[in-house]
Amino acid sequence: MSISVFLVDDHAIIREGLTSLLKTDPEINVLGSAANGREAVTQIRQLNPAVAILDISMPDMNGIEAARQIIERSPQVHILILSMHSTATHVFQALEAGVHGYVLKESAAQEIIHAVRTIHAGRRFLSAGVVEVVAENLHTRSDIKPLDSLSKREREILQLVAEGHSSAQIAKKLNLSSKTVDTYRSRLMKKLGLKDVGGIVRFSLQHRLISLD
């Protein structure tokens, strides 16, 4: 049975290299690719691949937030993070988002095909380095997750505000009124204890919703 895969990375050379690597397995079919998270969410919903491979650091929505939205809108798609980041923050945020696997780019050549096959079969796959990070940091994790207090719409608006969009722009993107967007924004700021847009940006950087990369 063919395993359909969609690739998401902001570097064309990485997408091309992954495509060539995955094509060495005759049962894997690369359906397409995207250069940012927002484009990926849209295309994956249309193409419905079995597996989506996402980088974390990308413009216009990072891979972890894209994974959350893909899982919400297309729960049948298995998500594999492929990243150079191996910090506990990145790993746990990805796992909390619901991804099925996490592979480090340094070991991608050896692991990517096995990882795709493993998560497609319904099991999790973590690179050895990621397993070590999880084991070392599991006892330090807090049960308090501020983002969990937000609704799907509030999280979406938080992301857009952090990316620099105005209420009018957000209203147009989400087909809402500017007043409704302002209401959602006030509500999410109250939940998170934030007082201004600068606070939203700092919070979003701390929680890797946006990146300075």
Side-chain angles (χ1 to χ4, degrees):
M1 178 185 293
S2 177
I3 303 172
S4 55
V5 174
F6 191 91
L7 306 176
V8 190
D9 194 292
D10 59 329
H11 294 99
I13 192 168
I14 298 292
R15 299 196 302 273
E16 292 167 4
L18 282 173
T19 298
S20 297
L21 185 58
L22 291 169
K23 282 183 176 178
T24 62
D25 187 319
E27 294 186 359
I28 295 178
N29 173 37
V30 178
L31 289 182
S33 64
N36 64 71
R38 197 172 304 285
E39 180 184 347
V41 172
T42 299
Q43 290 200 44
I44 286 170
R45 193 171 189 180
Q46 294 172 346
L47 296 174
N48 192 33
V51 175
I53 302 175
L54 279 67
D55 188 13
I56 290 180
S57 297
M58 295 184 294
D60 200 18
M61 189 183 297
N62 68 66
I64 293 175
E65 184 59 26
R68 288 192 184 98
Q69 295 196 20
I70 292 165
I71 290 165
E72 287 176 351
R73 302 176 188 188
S74 308
Q76 73 282 359
V77 178
H78 294 81
I79 307 293
L80 176 65
I81 292 292
L82 175 62
S83 177
M84 62 180 287
H85 298 295
S86 59
T87 66
T89 298
H90 286 98
V91 171
F92 279 102
Q93 285 186 348
L95 294 174
E96 288 162 1
V99 307
H100 304 86
Y102 197 120
V103 172
L104 299 178
K105 283 187 174 179
E106 64 190 37
S107 54
Q110 295 77 34
E111 296 182 334
I112 194 69
I113 290 176
H114 181 45
V116 167
R117 286 182 163 276
T118 298
I119 69 170
H120 181 254
R123 302 187 300 274
R124 290 194 181 277
F125 185 95
L126 303 177
S127 286
V130 175
V131 172
E132 186 175 345
V133 168
V134 171
E136 289 179 351
N137 292 275
L138 192 59
H139 67 285
T140 66
R141 296 296 293 169
S142 168
D143 291 332
I144 301 172
K145 306 179 184 71
L147 286 171
D148 288 351
S149 68
L150 303 183
S151 68
K152 176 182 175 182
R153 182 64 84 186
E154 287 167 347
R155 189 193 291 269
E156 195 170 15
I157 289 174
L158 171 68
Q159 177 80 35
L160 291 167
V161 172
E163 290 172 0
H165 298 284
S166 67
S167 290
Q169 290 171 328
I170 295 171
K172 187 174 181 180
K173 275 180 175 287
L174 302 182
N175 196 27
L176 300 171
S177 70
S178 293
K179 184 176 180 180
T180 299
V181 171
D182 286 337
T183 299
Y184 275 117
R185 185 161 75 171
S186 296
R187 188 183 303 160
L188 72 88
M189 289 173 70
K190 184 176 180 180
K191 286 183 178 180
L192 299 176
L194 305 175
K195 296 181 178 180
D196 52 29
V197 173
I200 289 178
V201 172
R202 285 192 295 275
F203 177 89
S204 299
L205 284 167
Q206 291 167 355
H207 290 79
R208 302 298 195 276
L209 299 181
I210 58 173
S211 159
L212 293 178
D213 294 350

Short mmCIF file of all heavy atoms in Angstrom, two decimals, residues 55-98:
data_model
loop_
_atom_site.label_atom_id
_atom_site.label_comp_id
_atom_site.label_asym_id
_atom_site.label_seq_id
_atom_site.Cartn_x
_atom_site.Cartn_y
_atom_site.Cartn_z
N ASP A 55 8.95 20.94 9.47
CA ASP A 55 10.02 21.60 10.21
C ASP A 55 9.36 22.46 11.29
O ASP A 55 8.15 22.71 11.24
CB ASP A 55 10.84 22.47 9.25
CG ASP A 55 12.09 23.05 9.89
OD1 ASP A 55 12.47 22.59 10.99
OD2 ASP A 55 12.68 23.96 9.30
N ILE A 56 10.13 22.93 12.28
CA ILE A 56 9.57 23.80 13.31
C ILE A 56 9.75 25.27 12.95
O ILE A 56 8.78 26.03 12.93
CB ILE A 56 10.21 23.51 14.69
CG1 ILE A 56 9.74 22.15 15.21
CG2 ILE A 56 9.85 24.61 15.70
CD1 ILE A 56 10.32 21.77 16.57
N SER A 57 10.96 25.70 12.66
CA SER A 57 11.24 27.12 12.42
C SER A 57 10.91 27.48 10.97
O SER A 57 11.67 27.18 10.05
CB SER A 57 12.72 27.42 12.71
OG SER A 57 13.01 27.20 14.06
N MET A 58 9.75 28.12 10.81
CA MET A 58 9.32 28.55 9.48
C MET A 58 8.61 29.89 9.58
O MET A 58 8.04 30.22 10.62
CB MET A 58 8.35 27.52 8.87
CG MET A 58 8.95 26.17 8.58
SD MET A 58 7.76 25.09 7.76
CE MET A 58 6.52 24.87 9.04
N PRO A 59 8.60 30.67 8.50
CA PRO A 59 7.85 31.92 8.51
C PRO A 59 6.35 31.66 8.38
O PRO A 59 5.94 30.57 7.97
CB PRO A 59 8.37 32.64 7.25
CG PRO A 59 8.76 31.52 6.33
CD PRO A 59 9.31 30.44 7.24
N ASP A 60 5.55 32.66 8.76
CA ASP A 60 4.10 32.59 8.58
C ASP A 60 3.50 31.32 9.19
O ASP A 60 2.87 30.53 8.51
CB ASP A 60 3.75 32.70 7.09
CG ASP A 60 2.30 33.13 6.88
OD1 ASP A 60 1.71 33.66 7.83
OD2 ASP A 60 1.78 32.94 5.78
N MET A 61 3.73 31.12 10.46
CA MET A 61 3.26 30.01 11.30
C MET A 61 4.32 28.90 11.39
O MET A 61 4.69 28.28 10.40
CB MET A 61 1.95 29.41 10.83
CG MET A 61 1.38 28.39 11.84
SD MET A 61 -0.14 27.57 11.30
CE MET A 61 -1.26 28.95 11.18
N ASN A 62 4.80 28.69 12.61
CA ASN A 62 5.81 27.66 12.82
C ASN A 62 5.20 26.26 12.78
O ASN A 62 3.98 26.08 12.78
CB ASN A 62 6.56 27.89 14.14
CG ASN A 62 5.66 27.67 15.34
OD1 ASN A 62 5.22 26.57 15.61
ND2 ASN A 62 5.38 28.74 16.09
N GLY A 63 6.07 25.26 12.76
CA GLY A 63 5.62 23.89 12.57
C GLY A 63 4.78 23.33 13.71
O GLY A 63 3.89 22.51 13.48
N ILE A 64 5.04 23.78 14.94
CA ILE A 64 4.26 23.26 16.06
C ILE A 64 2.83 23.77 16.02
O ILE A 64 1.88 23.01 16.21
CB ILE A 64 4.95 23.60 17.40
CG1 ILE A 64 6.28 22.83 17.50
CG2 ILE A 64 4.04 23.25 18.58
CD1 ILE A 64 7.10 23.17 18.72
N GLU A 65 2.67 25.06 15.74
CA GLU A 65 1.31 25.60 15.64
C GLU A 65 0.60 25.01 14.42
O GLU A 65 -0.59 24.72 14.46
CB GLU A 65 1.33 27.12 15.55
CG GLU A 65 -0.05 27.76 15.53
CD GLU A 65 -0.90 27.43 16.75
OE1 GLU A 65 -0.36 27.14 17.83
OE2 GLU A 65 -2.14 27.46 16.61
N ALA A 66 1.34 24.83 13.32
CA ALA A 66 0.75 24.20 12.13
C ALA A 66 0.29 22.79 12.46
O ALA A 66 -0.79 22.35 12.05
CB ALA A 66 1.77 24.17 10.99
N ALA A 67 1.10 22.05 13.23
CA ALA A 67 0.73 20.69 13.63
C ALA A 67 -0.58 20.70 14.42
O ALA A 67 -1.46 19.86 14.19
CB ALA A 67 1.84 20.06 14.46
N ARG A 68 -0.71 21.66 15.35
CA ARG A 68 -1.95 21.75 16.14
C ARG A 68 -3.16 21.93 15.22
O ARG A 68 -4.19 21.28 15.37
CB ARG A 68 -1.88 22.93 17.11
CG ARG A 68 -0.95 22.74 18.29
CD ARG A 68 -1.18 23.82 19.34
NE ARG A 68 -0.24 23.69 20.43
CZ ARG A 68 0.88 24.41 20.55
NH1 ARG A 68 1.18 25.31 19.64
NH2 ARG A 68 1.68 24.22 21.58
N GLN A 69 -3.02 22.85 14.26
CA GLN A 69 -4.15 23.14 13.39
C GLN A 69 -4.44 21.98 12.43
O GLN A 69 -5.61 21.69 12.13
CB GLN A 69 -3.89 24.43 12.62
CG GLN A 69 -3.82 25.65 13.53
CD GLN A 69 -3.95 26.96 12.78
OE1 GLN A 69 -4.45 27.02 11.66
NE2 GLN A 69 -3.51 28.03 13.41
N ILE A 70 -3.41 21.31 11.97
CA ILE A 70 -3.61 20.15 11.08
C ILE A 70 -4.33 19.04 11.84
O ILE A 70 -5.27 18.42 11.34
CB ILE A 70 -2.26 19.63 10.53
CG1 ILE A 70 -1.66 20.66 9.56
CG2 ILE A 70 -2.44 18.28 9.83
CD1 ILE A 70 -0.20 20.42 9.24
N ILE A 71 -3.91 18.80 13.09
CA ILE A 71 -4.53 17.75 13.89
C ILE A 71 -5.99 18.08 14.19
O ILE A 71 -6.86 17.20 14.20
CB ILE A 71 -3.71 17.54 15.18
CG1 ILE A 71 -2.37 16.87 14.83
CG2 ILE A 71 -4.48 16.69 16.20
CD1 ILE A 71 -1.34 16.92 15.93
N GLU A 72 -6.29 19.38 14.41
CA GLU A 72 -7.67 19.79 14.67
C GLU A 72 -8.55 19.61 13.42
O GLU A 72 -9.69 19.18 13.52
CB GLU A 72 -7.71 21.25 15.11
CG GLU A 72 -7.20 21.48 16.52
CD GLU A 72 -7.15 22.96 16.89
OE1 GLU A 72 -7.35 23.81 15.99
OE2 GLU A 72 -6.92 23.26 18.07
N ARG A 73 -7.99 19.96 12.25
CA ARG A 73 -8.79 19.98 11.02
C ARG A 73 -8.70 18.68 10.23
O ARG A 73 -9.62 18.34 9.49
CB ARG A 73 -8.33 21.16 10.15
CG ARG A 73 -8.45 22.50 10.85
CD ARG A 73 -7.90 23.63 10.00
NE ARG A 73 -7.85 24.88 10.77
CZ ARG A 73 -7.56 26.05 10.24
NH1 ARG A 73 -7.29 26.15 8.95
NH2 ARG A 73 -7.52 27.14 11.00
N SER A 74 -7.58 18.00 10.35
CA SER A 74 -7.36 16.75 9.59
C SER A 74 -6.77 15.70 10.53
O SER A 74 -5.60 15.30 10.38
CB SER A 74 -6.42 17.00 8.40
OG SER A 74 -6.85 18.08 7.60
N PRO A 75 -7.53 15.24 11.51
CA PRO A 75 -6.99 14.34 12.54
C PRO A 75 -6.48 13.01 12.02
O PRO A 75 -5.75 12.31 12.72
CB PRO A 75 -8.18 14.15 13.49
CG PRO A 75 -9.39 14.47 12.67
CD PRO A 75 -8.96 15.53 11.72
N GLN A 76 -6.86 12.64 10.81
CA GLN A 76 -6.40 11.37 10.25
C GLN A 76 -4.96 11.44 9.74
O GLN A 76 -4.34 10.40 9.47
CB GLN A 76 -7.33 10.94 9.10
CG GLN A 76 -7.19 11.73 7.81
CD GLN A 76 -7.88 13.10 7.86
OE1 GLN A 76 -8.49 13.47 8.86
NE2 GLN A 76 -7.81 13.83 6.76
N VAL A 77 -4.41 12.64 9.61
CA VAL A 77 -3.04 12.82 9.11
C VAL A 77 -2.05 12.60 10.26
O VAL A 77 -2.19 13.17 11.34
CB VAL A 77 -2.85 14.22 8.51
CG1 VAL A 77 -1.41 14.40 8.04
CG2 VAL A 77 -3.82 14.45 7.36
N HIS A 78 -1.04 11.78 10.01
CA HIS A 78 0.00 11.53 11.01
C HIS A 78 1.11 12.57 10.83
O HIS A 78 1.61 12.77 9.72
CB HIS A 78 0.58 10.12 10.85
CG HIS A 78 -0.39 9.05 11.16
ND1 HIS A 78 -1.34 8.61 10.24
CD2 HIS A 78 -0.59 8.31 12.28
CE1 HIS A 78 -2.07 7.66 10.79
NE2 HIS A 78 -1.65 7.46 12.03
N ILE A 79 1.49 13.24 11.93
CA ILE A 79 2.45 14.34 11.86
C ILE A 79 3.82 13.89 12.36
O ILE A 79 3.96 13.36 13.47
CB ILE A 79 1.99 15.54 12.72
CG1 ILE A 79 0.57 15.96 12.35
CG2 ILE A 79 2.98 16.69 12.57
CD1 ILE A 79 0.42 16.55 10.98
N LEU A 80 4.85 14.16 11.55
CA LEU A 80 6.23 13.89 11.92
C LEU A 80 7.01 15.20 11.90
O LEU A 80 7.06 15.88 10.88
CB LEU A 80 6.87 12.90 10.94
CG LEU A 80 8.35 12.58 11.14
CD1 LEU A 80 8.57 11.86 12.46
CD2 LEU A 80 8.88 11.75 9.97
N ILE A 81 7.56 15.59 13.05
CA ILE A 81 8.42 16.77 13.11
C ILE A 81 9.83 16.38 12.69
O ILE A 81 10.38 15.37 13.16
CB ILE A 81 8.46 17.37 14.54
CG1 ILE A 81 7.09 17.95 14.92
CG2 ILE A 81 9.54 18.44 14.65
CD1 ILE A 81 6.67 19.18 14.13
N LEU A 82 10.41 17.17 11.79
CA LEU A 82 11.81 16.98 11.37
C LEU A 82 12.52 18.30 11.63
O LEU A 82 12.27 19.28 10.93
CB LEU A 82 11.88 16.59 9.89
CG LEU A 82 13.29 16.46 9.31
CD1 LEU A 82 14.06 15.36 10.01
CD2 LEU A 82 13.24 16.21 7.81
N SER A 83 13.37 18.33 12.64
CA SER A 83 13.92 19.62 13.07
C SER A 83 15.35 19.50 13.54
O SER A 83 15.81 18.43 13.96
CB SER A 83 13.06 20.18 14.21
OG SER A 83 13.59 21.39 14.71
N MET A 84 16.06 20.64 13.49
CA MET A 84 17.41 20.70 14.07
C MET A 84 17.33 20.95 15.57
O MET A 84 18.30 20.79 16.29
CB MET A 84 18.19 21.84 13.41
CG MET A 84 17.59 23.21 13.63
SD MET A 84 18.53 24.54 12.85
CE MET A 84 19.94 24.60 13.95
N HIS A 85 16.15 21.35 16.07
CA HIS A 85 15.99 21.69 17.48
C HIS A 85 15.79 20.43 18.33
O HIS A 85 14.90 19.62 18.06
CB HIS A 85 14.78 22.61 17.68
CG HIS A 85 14.91 23.92 16.96
ND1 HIS A 85 15.88 24.85 17.29
CD2 HIS A 85 14.19 24.46 15.95
CE1 HIS A 85 15.75 25.90 16.49
NE2 HIS A 85 14.74 25.69 15.68
N SER A 86 16.60 20.30 19.38
CA SER A 86 16.46 19.14 20.26
C SER A 86 16.31 19.57 21.73
O SER A 86 16.54 18.77 22.63
CB SER A 86 17.68 18.23 20.13
OG SER A 86 18.87 18.93 20.46
N THR A 87 15.90 20.83 21.96
CA THR A 87 15.72 21.28 23.33
C THR A 87 14.44 20.68 23.91
O THR A 87 13.51 20.33 23.17
CB THR A 87 15.61 22.81 23.41
OG1 THR A 87 14.40 23.23 22.75
CG2 THR A 87 16.80 23.48 22.74
N ALA A 88 14.39 20.60 25.24
CA ALA A 88 13.20 20.05 25.90
C ALA A 88 11.96 20.86 25.55
O ALA A 88 10.88 20.31 25.36
CB ALA A 88 13.42 20.03 27.41
N THR A 89 12.12 22.19 25.45
CA THR A 89 10.97 23.05 25.13
C THR A 89 10.36 22.68 23.79
O THR A 89 9.14 22.50 23.67
CB THR A 89 11.39 24.54 25.11
OG1 THR A 89 11.87 24.90 26.40
CG2 THR A 89 10.21 25.42 24.74
N HIS A 90 11.19 22.57 22.76
CA HIS A 90 10.69 22.23 21.43
C HIS A 90 10.05 20.84 21.43
O HIS A 90 8.97 20.63 20.88
CB HIS A 90 11.82 22.27 20.40
CG HIS A 90 12.26 23.65 20.03
ND1 HIS A 90 13.35 24.26 20.59
CD2 HIS A 90 11.73 24.55 19.16
CE1 HIS A 90 13.49 25.47 20.08
NE2 HIS A 90 12.53 25.66 19.21
N VAL A 91 10.75 19.88 22.03
CA VAL A 91 10.26 18.49 22.00
C VAL A 91 8.92 18.36 22.72
O VAL A 91 7.97 17.79 22.18
CB VAL A 91 11.30 17.54 22.63
CG1 VAL A 91 10.71 16.14 22.80
CG2 VAL A 91 12.56 17.48 21.76
N PHE A 92 8.82 18.90 23.93
CA PHE A 92 7.58 18.75 24.68
C PHE A 92 6.43 19.54 24.06
O PHE A 92 5.29 19.08 24.07
CB PHE A 92 7.78 19.16 26.15
CG PHE A 92 8.39 18.07 26.97
CD1 PHE A 92 9.74 18.10 27.32
CD2 PHE A 92 7.63 16.99 27.39
CE1 PHE A 92 10.31 17.09 28.07
CE2 PHE A 92 8.18 15.97 28.16
CZ PHE A 92 9.53 16.01 28.49
N GLN A 93 6.71 20.71 23.50
CA GLN A 93 5.63 21.45 22.84
C GLN A 93 5.11 20.68 21.63
O GLN A 93 3.91 20.68 21.37
CB GLN A 93 6.12 22.84 22.42
CG GLN A 93 6.25 23.81 23.58
CD GLN A 93 6.58 25.21 23.13
OE1 GLN A 93 6.93 25.44 21.98
NE2 GLN A 93 6.48 26.16 24.04
N ALA A 94 6.01 20.04 20.91
CA ALA A 94 5.57 19.23 19.76
C ALA A 94 4.72 18.05 20.21
O ALA A 94 3.65 17.78 19.65
CB ALA A 94 6.79 18.75 18.98
N LEU A 95 5.17 17.35 21.25
CA LEU A 95 4.42 16.20 21.74
C LEU A 95 3.07 16.63 22.32
O LEU A 95 2.05 15.95 22.13
CB LEU A 95 5.24 15.45 22.79
CG LEU A 95 6.52 14.78 22.27
CD1 LEU A 95 7.32 14.19 23.42
CD2 LEU A 95 6.19 13.70 21.24
N GLU A 96 3.06 17.76 23.01
CA GLU A 96 1.80 18.26 23.57
C GLU A 96 0.83 18.68 22.47
O GLU A 96 -0.39 18.65 22.64
CB GLU A 96 2.08 19.42 24.52
CG GLU A 96 2.72 18.96 25.83
CD GLU A 96 3.40 20.09 26.60
OE1 GLU A 96 3.36 21.25 26.13
OE2 GLU A 96 3.96 19.81 27.68
N ALA A 97 1.39 19.09 21.32
CA ALA A 97 0.54 19.46 20.18
C ALA A 97 -0.12 18.24 19.56
O ALA A 97 -1.10 18.36 18.83
CB ALA A 97 1.37 20.20 19.13
N GLY A 98 0.44 17.04 19.85
CA GLY A 98 -0.16 15.81 19.35
C GLY A 98 0.57 15.15 18.21
O GLY A 98 0.02 14.26 17.55
#
